Amino acid sequence: MRILALDQSSQVTGWAIFQDGKLDKFGKFDHKNSNVIARISSLKADVLQLIEDESIDKVILEEIQMQGNINNVATFKVLAFVLGALEILMYELDMPYETLPSSTWKSICGVKGRARAEQKKDARYSRCNLYRPCGDA
């Protein structure tokens, strides 16, 4: 089974493809347009192309969560748009998918650090499997 795991955002989205539970390849999409809707549209097209090019069987999307204070509402709203657009794409493709909280893949990978910056640094260095099918954890 080929699984595409996404750590999506409206500007830089990380992706990894797993073949039968083993990391096969990974990369990122960069979208720097100042128009958020244009960025989301480009991301949707890039994900579609990757699914088609790589014969993906299932997609894993990262859940979103409200963090911190009221100043993060705008960011949360944009992330909700991104997740919604990708879920609509999965529906249109009749693609099996699930959403996972970031804490799940961080736990599986053993990513450590209290602050987001520490966690990102640890995740970049570990390059471990970001997803294992349920039951294999």
Side-chain angles (χ1 to χ4, degrees), residues 7-13 29-33 35-40 42-43 75 78-79 81-82:
D7 179 1
Q8 71 273 3
S9 79
S10 72
Q11 293 187 25
V12 179
T13 293
F29 301 123
D30 285 300
H31 300 104
K32 300 299 184 186
N33 190 309
N35 182 313
V36 69
I37 300 302
R39 291 194 312 262
I40 294 170
S42 295
L43 174 60
T75 300
V78 170
L79 290 174
F81 291 160
V82 171

mmCIF file with all atom_site columns, all heavy atoms in Angstrom, residues 7-13 29-33 35-40 42-43 75 78-79 81-82:
data_model
loop_
_atom_site.group_PDB
_atom_site.id
_atom_site.type_symbol
_atom_site.label_atom_id
_atom_site.label_alt_id
_atom_site.label_comp_id
_atom_site.label_asym_id
_atom_site.label_entity_id
_atom_site.label_seq_id
_atom_site.pdbx_PDB_ins_code
_atom_site.Cartn_x
_atom_site.Cartn_y
_atom_site.Cartn_z
_atom_site.occupancy
_atom_site.B_iso_or_equiv
_atom_site.pdbx_formal_charge
_atom_site.auth_seq_id
_atom_site.auth_comp_id
_atom_site.auth_asym_id
_atom_site.auth_atom_id
_atom_site.pdbx_PDB_model_num
ATOM 1   N N   . ASP A 1 7  ? 1.841   17.160 5.963  1.00 0.00 ? 7  ASP A N   1
ATOM 2   C CA  . ASP A 1 7  ? 1.890   18.140 7.047  1.00 0.00 ? 7  ASP A CA  1
ATOM 3   C C   . ASP A 1 7  ? 1.580   19.459 6.353  1.00 0.00 ? 7  ASP A C   1
ATOM 4   O O   . ASP A 1 7  ? 2.467   20.192 5.939  1.00 0.00 ? 7  ASP A O   1
ATOM 5   C CB  . ASP A 1 7  ? 3.269   18.143 7.704  1.00 0.00 ? 7  ASP A CB  1
ATOM 6   C CG  . ASP A 1 7  ? 3.387   19.157 8.826  1.00 0.00 ? 7  ASP A CG  1
ATOM 7   O OD1 . ASP A 1 7  ? 2.392   19.852 9.122  1.00 0.00 ? 7  ASP A OD1 1
ATOM 8   O OD2 . ASP A 1 7  ? 4.474   19.279 9.395  1.00 0.00 ? 7  ASP A OD2 1
ATOM 9   N N   . GLN A 1 8  ? 0.289   19.718 6.183  1.00 0.00 ? 8  GLN A N   1
ATOM 10  C CA  . GLN A 1 8  ? -0.147  20.786 5.302  1.00 0.00 ? 8  GLN A CA  1
ATOM 11  C C   . GLN A 1 8  ? -0.213  22.148 5.982  1.00 0.00 ? 8  GLN A C   1
ATOM 12  O O   . GLN A 1 8  ? -0.487  22.250 7.167  1.00 0.00 ? 8  GLN A O   1
ATOM 13  C CB  . GLN A 1 8  ? -1.506  20.443 4.686  1.00 0.00 ? 8  GLN A CB  1
ATOM 14  C CG  . GLN A 1 8  ? -2.686  20.494 5.630  1.00 0.00 ? 8  GLN A CG  1
ATOM 15  C CD  . GLN A 1 8  ? -2.943  19.202 6.382  1.00 0.00 ? 8  GLN A CD  1
ATOM 16  O OE1 . GLN A 1 8  ? -2.213  18.226 6.270  1.00 0.00 ? 8  GLN A OE1 1
ATOM 17  N NE2 . GLN A 1 8  ? -4.005  19.195 7.176  1.00 0.00 ? 8  GLN A NE2 1
ATOM 18  N N   . SER A 1 9  ? 0.080   23.161 5.173  1.00 0.00 ? 9  SER A N   1
ATOM 19  C CA  . SER A 1 9  ? -0.149  24.550 5.552  1.00 0.00 ? 9  SER A CA  1
ATOM 20  C C   . SER A 1 9  ? -0.403  25.307 4.252  1.00 0.00 ? 9  SER A C   1
ATOM 21  O O   . SER A 1 9  ? -0.315  24.732 3.170  1.00 0.00 ? 9  SER A O   1
ATOM 22  C CB  . SER A 1 9  ? 1.033   25.136 6.319  1.00 0.00 ? 9  SER A CB  1
ATOM 23  O OG  . SER A 1 9  ? 2.073   25.499 5.442  1.00 0.00 ? 9  SER A OG  1
ATOM 24  N N   . SER A 1 10 ? -0.679  26.590 4.359  1.00 0.00 ? 10 SER A N   1
ATOM 25  C CA  . SER A 1 10 ? -0.993  27.334 3.141  1.00 0.00 ? 10 SER A CA  1
ATOM 26  C C   . SER A 1 10 ? 0.260   27.807 2.401  1.00 0.00 ? 10 SER A C   1
ATOM 27  O O   . SER A 1 10 ? 0.174   28.213 1.254  1.00 0.00 ? 10 SER A O   1
ATOM 28  C CB  . SER A 1 10 ? -1.892  28.530 3.456  1.00 0.00 ? 10 SER A CB  1
ATOM 29  O OG  . SER A 1 10 ? -1.168  29.534 4.123  1.00 0.00 ? 10 SER A OG  1
ATOM 30  N N   . GLN A 1 11 ? 1.426   27.745 3.046  1.00 0.00 ? 11 GLN A N   1
ATOM 31  C CA  . GLN A 1 11 ? 2.637   28.214 2.379  1.00 0.00 ? 11 GLN A CA  1
ATOM 32  C C   . GLN A 1 11 ? 3.638   27.097 2.085  1.00 0.00 ? 11 GLN A C   1
ATOM 33  O O   . GLN A 1 11 ? 4.105   26.978 0.960  1.00 0.00 ? 11 GLN A O   1
ATOM 34  C CB  . GLN A 1 11 ? 3.301   29.309 3.213  1.00 0.00 ? 11 GLN A CB  1
ATOM 35  C CG  . GLN A 1 11 ? 2.445   30.562 3.251  1.00 0.00 ? 11 GLN A CG  1
ATOM 36  C CD  . GLN A 1 11 ? 3.148   31.728 3.917  1.00 0.00 ? 11 GLN A CD  1
ATOM 37  O OE1 . GLN A 1 11 ? 4.372   31.800 3.961  1.00 0.00 ? 11 GLN A OE1 1
ATOM 38  N NE2 . GLN A 1 11 ? 2.364   32.645 4.442  1.00 0.00 ? 11 GLN A NE2 1
ATOM 39  N N   . VAL A 1 12 ? 3.981   26.302 3.069  1.00 0.00 ? 12 VAL A N   1
ATOM 40  C CA  . VAL A 1 12 ? 4.912   25.193 2.867  1.00 0.00 ? 12 VAL A CA  1
ATOM 41  C C   . VAL A 1 12 ? 4.258   23.933 3.423  1.00 0.00 ? 12 VAL A C   1
ATOM 42  O O   . VAL A 1 12 ? 3.925   23.871 4.600  1.00 0.00 ? 12 VAL A O   1
ATOM 43  C CB  . VAL A 1 12 ? 6.268   25.438 3.568  1.00 0.00 ? 12 VAL A CB  1
ATOM 44  C CG1 . VAL A 1 12 ? 7.203   24.254 3.355  1.00 0.00 ? 12 VAL A CG1 1
ATOM 45  C CG2 . VAL A 1 12 ? 6.907   26.721 3.070  1.00 0.00 ? 12 VAL A CG2 1
ATOM 46  N N   . THR A 1 13 ? 4.083   22.954 2.566  1.00 0.00 ? 13 THR A N   1
ATOM 47  C CA  . THR A 1 13 ? 3.467   21.684 2.959  1.00 0.00 ? 13 THR A CA  1
ATOM 48  C C   . THR A 1 13 ? 4.482   20.571 2.779  1.00 0.00 ? 13 THR A C   1
ATOM 49  O O   . THR A 1 13 ? 5.003   20.369 1.676  1.00 0.00 ? 13 THR A O   1
ATOM 50  C CB  . THR A 1 13 ? 2.210   21.397 2.104  1.00 0.00 ? 13 THR A CB  1
ATOM 51  O OG1 . THR A 1 13 ? 1.208   22.365 2.432  1.00 0.00 ? 13 THR A OG1 1
ATOM 52  C CG2 . THR A 1 13 ? 1.672   19.996 2.345  1.00 0.00 ? 13 THR A CG2 1
ATOM 53  N N   . PHE A 1 29 ? 6.013   21.240 -0.828 1.00 0.00 ? 29 PHE A N   1
ATOM 54  C CA  . PHE A 1 29 ? 5.455   22.183 -1.781 1.00 0.00 ? 29 PHE A CA  1
ATOM 55  C C   . PHE A 1 29 ? 5.595   23.570 -1.178 1.00 0.00 ? 29 PHE A C   1
ATOM 56  O O   . PHE A 1 29 ? 5.240   23.771 -0.018 1.00 0.00 ? 29 PHE A O   1
ATOM 57  C CB  . PHE A 1 29 ? 3.966   21.908 -2.035 1.00 0.00 ? 29 PHE A CB  1
ATOM 58  C CG  . PHE A 1 29 ? 3.650   20.543 -2.570 1.00 0.00 ? 29 PHE A CG  1
ATOM 59  C CD1 . PHE A 1 29 ? 2.785   19.713 -1.893 1.00 0.00 ? 29 PHE A CD1 1
ATOM 60  C CD2 . PHE A 1 29 ? 4.205   20.102 -3.758 1.00 0.00 ? 29 PHE A CD2 1
ATOM 61  C CE1 . PHE A 1 29 ? 2.466   18.459 -2.387 1.00 0.00 ? 29 PHE A CE1 1
ATOM 62  C CE2 . PHE A 1 29 ? 3.894   18.843 -4.262 1.00 0.00 ? 29 PHE A CE2 1
ATOM 63  C CZ  . PHE A 1 29 ? 3.023   18.021 -3.573 1.00 0.00 ? 29 PHE A CZ  1
ATOM 64  N N   . ASP A 1 30 ? 6.093   24.525 -1.952 1.00 0.00 ? 30 ASP A N   1
ATOM 65  C CA  . ASP A 1 30 ? 6.200   25.916 -1.517 1.00 0.00 ? 30 ASP A CA  1
ATOM 66  C C   . ASP A 1 30 ? 5.216   26.758 -2.311 1.00 0.00 ? 30 ASP A C   1
ATOM 67  O O   . ASP A 1 30 ? 5.216   26.701 -3.548 1.00 0.00 ? 30 ASP A O   1
ATOM 68  C CB  . ASP A 1 30 ? 7.623   26.457 -1.783 1.00 0.00 ? 30 ASP A CB  1
ATOM 69  C CG  . ASP A 1 30 ? 8.632   25.925 -0.809 1.00 0.00 ? 30 ASP A CG  1
ATOM 70  O OD1 . ASP A 1 30 ? 8.461   26.166 0.397  1.00 0.00 ? 30 ASP A OD1 1
ATOM 71  O OD2 . ASP A 1 30 ? 9.599   25.275 -1.257 1.00 0.00 ? 30 ASP A OD2 1
ATOM 72  N N   . HIS A 1 31 ? 4.406   27.506 -1.599 1.00 0.00 ? 31 HIS A N   1
ATOM 73  C CA  . HIS A 1 31 ? 3.441   28.406 -2.238 1.00 0.00 ? 31 HIS A CA  1
ATOM 74  C C   . HIS A 1 31 ? 3.559   29.769 -1.576 1.00 0.00 ? 31 HIS A C   1
ATOM 75  O O   . HIS A 1 31 ? 3.181   29.926 -0.421 1.00 0.00 ? 31 HIS A O   1
ATOM 76  C CB  . HIS A 1 31 ? 2.016   27.848 -2.110 1.00 0.00 ? 31 HIS A CB  1
ATOM 77  C CG  . HIS A 1 31 ? 1.883   26.510 -2.748 1.00 0.00 ? 31 HIS A CG  1
ATOM 78  N ND1 . HIS A 1 31 ? 1.820   25.350 -2.015 1.00 0.00 ? 31 HIS A ND1 1
ATOM 79  C CD2 . HIS A 1 31 ? 1.847   26.140 -4.047 1.00 0.00 ? 31 HIS A CD2 1
ATOM 80  C CE1 . HIS A 1 31 ? 1.731   24.320 -2.846 1.00 0.00 ? 31 HIS A CE1 1
ATOM 81  N NE2 . HIS A 1 31 ? 1.752   24.769 -4.076 1.00 0.00 ? 31 HIS A NE2 1
ATOM 82  N N   . LYS A 1 32 ? 4.081   30.744 -2.302 1.00 0.00 ? 32 LYS A N   1
ATOM 83  C CA  . LYS A 1 32 ? 4.372   32.053 -1.716 1.00 0.00 ? 32 LYS A CA  1
ATOM 84  C C   . LYS A 1 32 ? 3.464   33.171 -2.223 1.00 0.00 ? 32 LYS A C   1
ATOM 85  O O   . LYS A 1 32 ? 3.676   34.320 -1.898 1.00 0.00 ? 32 LYS A O   1
ATOM 86  C CB  . LYS A 1 32 ? 5.838   32.429 -1.984 1.00 0.00 ? 32 LYS A CB  1
ATOM 87  C CG  . LYS A 1 32 ? 6.827   31.441 -1.405 1.00 0.00 ? 32 LYS A CG  1
ATOM 88  C CD  . LYS A 1 32 ? 6.716   31.327 0.094  1.00 0.00 ? 32 LYS A CD  1
ATOM 89  C CE  . LYS A 1 32 ? 7.784   30.394 0.636  1.00 0.00 ? 32 LYS A CE  1
ATOM 90  N NZ  . LYS A 1 32 ? 7.662   30.112 2.033  1.00 0.00 ? 32 LYS A NZ  1
ATOM 91  N N   . ASN A 1 33 ? 2.451   32.852 -3.008 1.00 0.00 ? 33 ASN A N   1
ATOM 92  C CA  . ASN A 1 33 ? 1.525   33.873 -3.496 1.00 0.00 ? 33 ASN A CA  1
ATOM 93  C C   . ASN A 1 33 ? 0.912   34.612 -2.311 1.00 0.00 ? 33 ASN A C   1
ATOM 94  O O   . ASN A 1 33 ? 0.587   34.003 -1.288 1.00 0.00 ? 33 ASN A O   1
ATOM 95  C CB  . ASN A 1 33 ? 0.436   33.195 -4.337 1.00 0.00 ? 33 ASN A CB  1
ATOM 96  C CG  . ASN A 1 33 ? -0.435  34.168 -5.090 1.00 0.00 ? 33 ASN A CG  1
ATOM 97  O OD1 . ASN A 1 33 ? -0.962  35.119 -4.515 1.00 0.00 ? 33 ASN A OD1 1
ATOM 98  N ND2 . ASN A 1 33 ? -0.592  33.921 -6.370 1.00 0.00 ? 33 ASN A ND2 1
ATOM 99  N N   . ASN A 1 35 ? -1.990  35.823 -2.116 1.00 0.00 ? 35 ASN A N   1
ATOM 100 C CA  . ASN A 1 35 ? -3.410  35.496 -2.032 1.00 0.00 ? 35 ASN A CA  1
ATOM 101 C C   . ASN A 1 35 ? -3.573  34.082 -1.470 1.00 0.00 ? 35 ASN A C   1
ATOM 102 O O   . ASN A 1 35 ? -3.166  33.104 -2.093 1.00 0.00 ? 35 ASN A O   1
ATOM 103 C CB  . ASN A 1 35 ? -4.041  35.603 -3.422 1.00 0.00 ? 35 ASN A CB  1
ATOM 104 C CG  . ASN A 1 35 ? -5.520  35.317 -3.418 1.00 0.00 ? 35 ASN A CG  1
ATOM 105 O OD1 . ASN A 1 35 ? -5.980  34.343 -2.840 1.00 0.00 ? 35 ASN A OD1 1
ATOM 106 N ND2 . ASN A 1 35 ? -6.269  36.174 -4.088 1.00 0.00 ? 35 ASN A ND2 1
ATOM 107 N N   . VAL A 1 36 ? -4.188  33.982 -0.294 1.00 0.00 ? 36 VAL A N   1
ATOM 108 C CA  . VAL A 1 36 ? -4.305  32.689 0.373  1.00 0.00 ? 36 VAL A CA  1
ATOM 109 C C   . VAL A 1 36 ? -5.123  31.688 -0.444 1.00 0.00 ? 36 VAL A C   1
ATOM 110 O O   . VAL A 1 36 ? -4.801  30.499 -0.481 1.00 0.00 ? 36 VAL A O   1
ATOM 111 C CB  . VAL A 1 36 ? -4.861  32.854 1.811  1.00 0.00 ? 36 VAL A CB  1
ATOM 112 C CG1 . VAL A 1 36 ? -6.315  33.281 1.811  1.00 0.00 ? 36 VAL A CG1 1
ATOM 113 C CG2 . VAL A 1 36 ? -4.690  31.571 2.603  1.00 0.00 ? 36 VAL A CG2 1
ATOM 114 N N   . ILE A 1 37 ? -6.158  32.139 -1.116 1.00 0.00 ? 37 ILE A N   1
ATOM 115 C CA  . ILE A 1 37 ? -6.975  31.233 -1.925 1.00 0.00 ? 37 ILE A CA  1
ATOM 116 C C   . ILE A 1 37 ? -6.158  30.689 -3.093 1.00 0.00 ? 37 ILE A C   1
ATOM 117 O O   . ILE A 1 37 ? -6.259  29.509 -3.441 1.00 0.00 ? 37 ILE A O   1
ATOM 118 C CB  . ILE A 1 37 ? -8.265  31.928 -2.407 1.00 0.00 ? 37 ILE A CB  1
ATOM 119 C CG1 . ILE A 1 37 ? -9.111  32.390 -1.204 1.00 0.00 ? 37 ILE A CG1 1
ATOM 120 C CG2 . ILE A 1 37 ? -9.077  31.010 -3.322 1.00 0.00 ? 37 ILE A CG2 1
ATOM 121 C CD1 . ILE A 1 37 ? -9.516  31.293 -0.230 1.00 0.00 ? 37 ILE A CD1 1
ATOM 122 N N   . ALA A 1 38 ? -5.327  31.527 -3.693 1.00 0.00 ? 38 ALA A N   1
ATOM 123 C CA  . ALA A 1 38 ? -4.450  31.068 -4.777 1.00 0.00 ? 38 ALA A CA  1
ATOM 124 C C   . ALA A 1 38 ? -3.466  30.014 -4.265 1.00 0.00 ? 38 ALA A C   1
ATOM 125 O O   . ALA A 1 38 ? -3.203  29.022 -4.953 1.00 0.00 ? 38 ALA A O   1
ATOM 126 C CB  . ALA A 1 38 ? -3.698  32.254 -5.386 1.00 0.00 ? 38 ALA A CB  1
ATOM 127 N N   . ARG A 1 39 ? -2.932  30.228 -3.063 1.00 0.00 ? 39 ARG A N   1
ATOM 128 C CA  . ARG A 1 39 ? -2.003  29.241 -2.484 1.00 0.00 ? 39 ARG A CA  1
ATOM 129 C C   . ARG A 1 39 ? -2.711  27.912 -2.252 1.00 0.00 ? 39 ARG A C   1
ATOM 130 O O   . ARG A 1 39 ? -2.160  26.845 -2.554 1.00 0.00 ? 39 ARG A O   1
ATOM 131 C CB  . ARG A 1 39 ? -1.415  29.755 -1.168 1.00 0.00 ? 39 ARG A CB  1
ATOM 132 C CG  . ARG A 1 39 ? -0.462  30.920 -1.332 1.00 0.00 ? 39 ARG A CG  1
ATOM 133 C CD  . ARG A 1 39 ? 0.367   31.197 -0.093 1.00 0.00 ? 39 ARG A CD  1
ATOM 134 N NE  . ARG A 1 39 ? -0.354  31.262 1.158  1.00 0.00 ? 39 ARG A NE  1
ATOM 135 C CZ  . ARG A 1 39 ? -0.756  32.375 1.765  1.00 0.00 ? 39 ARG A CZ  1
ATOM 136 N NH1 . ARG A 1 39 ? -0.529  33.553 1.196  1.00 0.00 ? 39 ARG A NH1 1
ATOM 137 N NH2 . ARG A 1 39 ? -1.364  32.329 2.929  1.00 0.00 ? 39 ARG A NH2 1
ATOM 138 N N   . ILE A 1 40 ? -3.905  27.961 -1.712 1.00 0.00 ? 40 ILE A N   1
ATOM 139 C CA  . ILE A 1 40 ? -4.647  26.721 -1.437 1.00 0.00 ? 40 ILE A CA  1
ATOM 140 C C   . ILE A 1 40 ? -5.001  26.010 -2.737 1.00 0.00 ? 40 ILE A C   1
ATOM 141 O O   . ILE A 1 40 ? -4.893  24.781 -2.836 1.00 0.00 ? 40 ILE A O   1
ATOM 142 C CB  . ILE A 1 40 ? -5.895  27.013 -0.580 1.00 0.00 ? 40 ILE A CB  1
ATOM 143 C CG1 . ILE A 1 40 ? -5.470  27.497 0.810  1.00 0.00 ? 40 ILE A CG1 1
ATOM 144 C CG2 . ILE A 1 40 ? -6.786  25.777 -0.482 1.00 0.00 ? 40 ILE A CG2 1
ATOM 145 C CD1 . ILE A 1 40 ? -6.605  28.036 1.669  1.00 0.00 ? 40 ILE A CD1 1
ATOM 146 N N   . SER A 1 42 ? -3.299  26.129 -5.538 1.00 0.00 ? 42 SER A N   1
ATOM 147 C CA  . SER A 1 42 ? -2.048  25.529 -6.025 1.00 0.00 ? 42 SER A CA  1
ATOM 148 C C   . SER A 1 42 ? -1.698  24.270 -5.246 1.00 0.00 ? 42 SER A C   1
ATOM 149 O O   . SER A 1 42 ? -1.253  23.274 -5.827 1.00 0.00 ? 42 SER A O   1
ATOM 150 C CB  . SER A 1 42 ? -0.900  26.533 -5.919 1.00 0.00 ? 42 SER A CB  1
ATOM 151 O OG  . SER A 1 42 ? -1.110  27.622 -6.771 1.00 0.00 ? 42 SER A OG  1
ATOM 152 N N   . LEU A 1 43 ? -1.893  24.308 -3.930 1.00 0.00 ? 43 LEU A N   1
ATOM 153 C CA  . LEU A 1 43 ? -1.621  23.129 -3.108 1.00 0.00 ? 43 LEU A CA  1
ATOM 154 C C   . LEU A 1 43 ? -2.515  21.971 -3.521 1.00 0.00 ? 43 LEU A C   1
ATOM 155 O O   . LEU A 1 43 ? -2.053  20.840 -3.678 1.00 0.00 ? 43 LEU A O   1
ATOM 156 C CB  . LEU A 1 43 ? -1.822  23.448 -1.620 1.00 0.00 ? 43 LEU A CB  1
ATOM 157 C CG  . LEU A 1 43 ? -1.711  22.254 -0.675 1.00 0.00 ? 43 LEU A CG  1
ATOM 158 C CD1 . LEU A 1 43 ? -0.340  21.595 -0.760 1.00 0.00 ? 43 LEU A CD1 1
ATOM 159 C CD2 . LEU A 1 43 ? -2.037  22.680 0.751  1.00 0.00 ? 43 LEU A CD2 1
ATOM 160 N N   . THR A 1 75 ? -4.733  32.396 11.693 1.00 0.00 ? 75 THR A N   1
ATOM 161 C CA  . THR A 1 75 ? -3.957  31.237 11.245 1.00 0.00 ? 75 THR A CA  1
ATOM 162 C C   . THR A 1 75 ? -4.804  29.975 11.285 1.00 0.00 ? 75 THR A C   1
ATOM 163 O O   . THR A 1 75 ? -4.797  29.178 10.340 1.00 0.00 ? 75 THR A O   1
ATOM 164 C CB  . THR A 1 75 ? -2.703  31.056 12.124 1.00 0.00 ? 75 THR A CB  1
ATOM 165 O OG1 . THR A 1 75 ? -1.907  32.228 12.009 1.00 0.00 ? 75 THR A OG1 1
ATOM 166 C CG2 . THR A 1 75 ? -1.897  29.839 11.703 1.00 0.00 ? 75 THR A CG2 1
ATOM 167 N N   . VAL A 1 78 ? -7.171  29.899 8.305  1.00 0.00 ? 78 VAL A N   1
ATOM 168 C CA  . VAL A 1 78 ? -6.506  29.523 7.054  1.00 0.00 ? 78 VAL A CA  1
ATOM 169 C C   . VAL A 1 78 ? -6.228  28.026 7.034  1.00 0.00 ? 78 VAL A C   1
ATOM 170 O O   . VAL A 1 78 ? -6.456  27.350 6.021  1.00 0.00 ? 78 VAL A O   1
ATOM 171 C CB  . VAL A 1 78 ? -5.210  30.337 6.845  1.00 0.00 ? 78 VAL A CB  1
ATOM 172 C CG1 . VAL A 1 78 ? -4.386  29.778 5.691  1.00 0.00 ? 78 VAL A CG1 1
ATOM 173 C CG2 . VAL A 1 78 ? -5.542  31.802 6.601  1.00 0.00 ? 78 VAL A CG2 1
ATOM 174 N N   . LEU A 1 79 ? -5.739  27.475 8.147  1.00 0.00 ? 79 LEU A N   1
ATOM 175 C CA  . LEU A 1 79 ? -5.470  26.029 8.207  1.00 0.00 ? 79 LEU A CA  1
ATOM 176 C C   . LEU A 1 79 ? -6.752  25.223 8.033  1.00 0.00 ? 79 LEU A C   1
ATOM 177 O O   . LEU A 1 79 ? -6.742  24.139 7.434  1.00 0.00 ? 79 LEU A O   1
ATOM 178 C CB  . LEU A 1 79 ? -4.767  25.670 9.512  1.00 0.00 ? 79 LEU A CB  1
ATOM 179 C CG  . LEU A 1 79 ? -3.332  26.169 9.639  1.00 0.00 ? 79 LEU A CG  1
ATOM 180 C CD1 . LEU A 1 79 ? -2.787  25.875 11.036 1.00 0.00 ? 79 LEU A CD1 1
ATOM 181 C CD2 . LEU A 1 79 ? -2.442  25.580 8.566  1.00 0.00 ? 79 LEU A CD2 1
ATOM 182 N N   . PHE A 1 81 ? -9.274  26.191 6.172  1.00 0.00 ? 81 PHE A N   1
ATOM 183 C CA  . PHE A 1 81 ? -9.540  26.244 4.730  1.00 0.00 ? 81 PHE A CA  1
ATOM 184 C C   . PHE A 1 81 ? -8.692  25.211 3.993  1.00 0.00 ? 81 PHE A C   1
ATOM 185 O O   . PHE A 1 81 ? -9.173  24.522 3.093  1.00 0.00 ? 81 PHE A O   1
ATOM 186 C CB  . PHE A 1 81 ? -9.239  27.631 4.165  1.00 0.00 ? 81 PHE A CB  1
ATOM 187 C CG  . PHE A 1 81 ? -10.172 28.730 4.590  1.00 0.00 ? 81 PHE A CG  1
ATOM 188 C CD1 . PHE A 1 81 ? -9.771  30.047 4.490  1.00 0.00 ? 81 PHE A CD1 1
ATOM 189 C CD2 . PHE A 1 81 ? -11.443 28.461 5.079  1.00 0.00 ? 81 PHE A CD2 1
ATOM 190 C CE1 . PHE A 1 81 ? -10.617 31.086 4.867  1.00 0.00 ? 81 PHE A CE1 1
ATOM 191 C CE2 . PHE A 1 81 ? -12.295 29.496 5.459  1.00 0.00 ? 81 PHE A CE2 1
ATOM 192 C CZ  . PHE A 1 81 ? -11.882 30.808 5.348  1.00 0.00 ? 81 PHE A CZ  1
ATOM 193 N N   . VAL A 1 82 ? -7.419  25.124 4.363  1.00 0.00 ? 82 VAL A N   1
ATOM 194 C CA  . VAL A 1 82 ? -6.504  24.173 3.719  1.00 0.00 ? 82 VAL A CA  1
ATOM 195 C C   . VAL A 1 82 ? -7.002  22.744 3.932  1.00 0.00 ? 82 VAL A C   1
ATOM 196 O O   . VAL A 1 82 ? -7.119  21.964 2.978  1.00 0.00 ? 82 VAL A O   1
ATOM 197 C CB  . VAL A 1 82 ? -5.062  24.327 4.259  1.00 0.00 ? 82 VAL A CB  1
ATOM 198 C CG1 . VAL A 1 82 ? -4.169  23.203 3.749  1.00 0.00 ? 82 VAL A CG1 1
ATOM 199 C CG2 . VAL A 1 82 ? -4.486  25.681 3.876  1.00 0.00 ? 82 VAL A CG2 1
#
